[in-house]
Amino acid sequence: MKIRDASGWTMFIFGILAILFGIVGLIRPELLLSVLGFEVVDRAQRAAGDYTVVYITAASMASFNMGVYYVLASWNNLKKFYAWTVPFRTLTFAIFTTIVLSGWAPTRFIGVGLWELAGGLATGVALYTENLPR
């Protein structure tokens, strides 16, 4: 289990970052909300039926899990998995950008979309160059 090439490194780095962001959101969901530009409301002041913290916790667990998948894929050189992530990371960028432009999310949230796009493009370019004839 070792990382063999640039595409594996893009997956590994993205995975480690996803794990770290997931841990932050699990331990301190309000900190993650703040970093992403969302207004942070004290838990005691949240209205009944406000599940923001629950949702951030669930999204953070998903981020943690996704990060683990990416790290394991990089360690096992699962190129097919790498390739599957590229279009979906691009789709994530498009959706997140749309919700920022529509005013549903704060401007800083676009950073998550850009992070997804940059990672997807880096992986896509690495996969492409690794498959060029030598």
Side-chain angles (χ1 to χ4, degrees):
M1 291 196 317
K2 73 177 200 170
I3 300 169
R4 296 177 175 90
D5 46 34
S7 61
W9 280 107
T10 68
M11 296 295 287
F12 178 78
I13 292 166
F14 188 86
I16 293 297
L17 291 171
I19 290 168
L20 293 175
F21 282 119
I23 290 170
V24 169
L26 289 168
I27 295 171
R28 298 278 313 272
E30 289 87 359
L31 176 61
L32 191 56
L33 283 168
S34 175
V35 167
L36 295 174
F38 291 95
E39 180 182 349
V40 177
V41 177
D42 186 77
R43 288 185 196 195
Q45 295 177 341
R46 291 194 176 277
D50 179 341
Y51 298 106
T52 303
V53 174
V54 173
Y55 180 77
I56 290 297
T57 302
S60 296
M61 190 67 235
S63 178
F64 180 88
N65 289 343
M66 182 183 68
V68 171
Y69 301 150
Y70 278 51
V71 167
L72 292 174
S74 71
W75 285 346
N76 289 281
N77 199 37
L78 299 177
K79 300 275 190 190
K80 190 173 259 190
F81 178 78
Y82 303 176
W84 291 339
T85 71
V86 174
F88 290 102
R89 291 158 84 182
T90 305
L91 177 62
T92 301
F93 164 75
I95 298 297
F96 288 4
T97 300
T98 299
I99 65 172
V100 169
L101 295 175
S102 70
W104 295 357
T107 304
R108 273 194 293 189
F109 188 69
I110 200 138
V112 181
L114 292 172
W115 173 58
E116 287 280 359
L117 181 64
L121 290 175
T123 300
V125 168
L127 286 169
Y128 176 78
T129 58
E130 290 165 8
N131 287 317
L132 289 175
R134 306 261 181 229

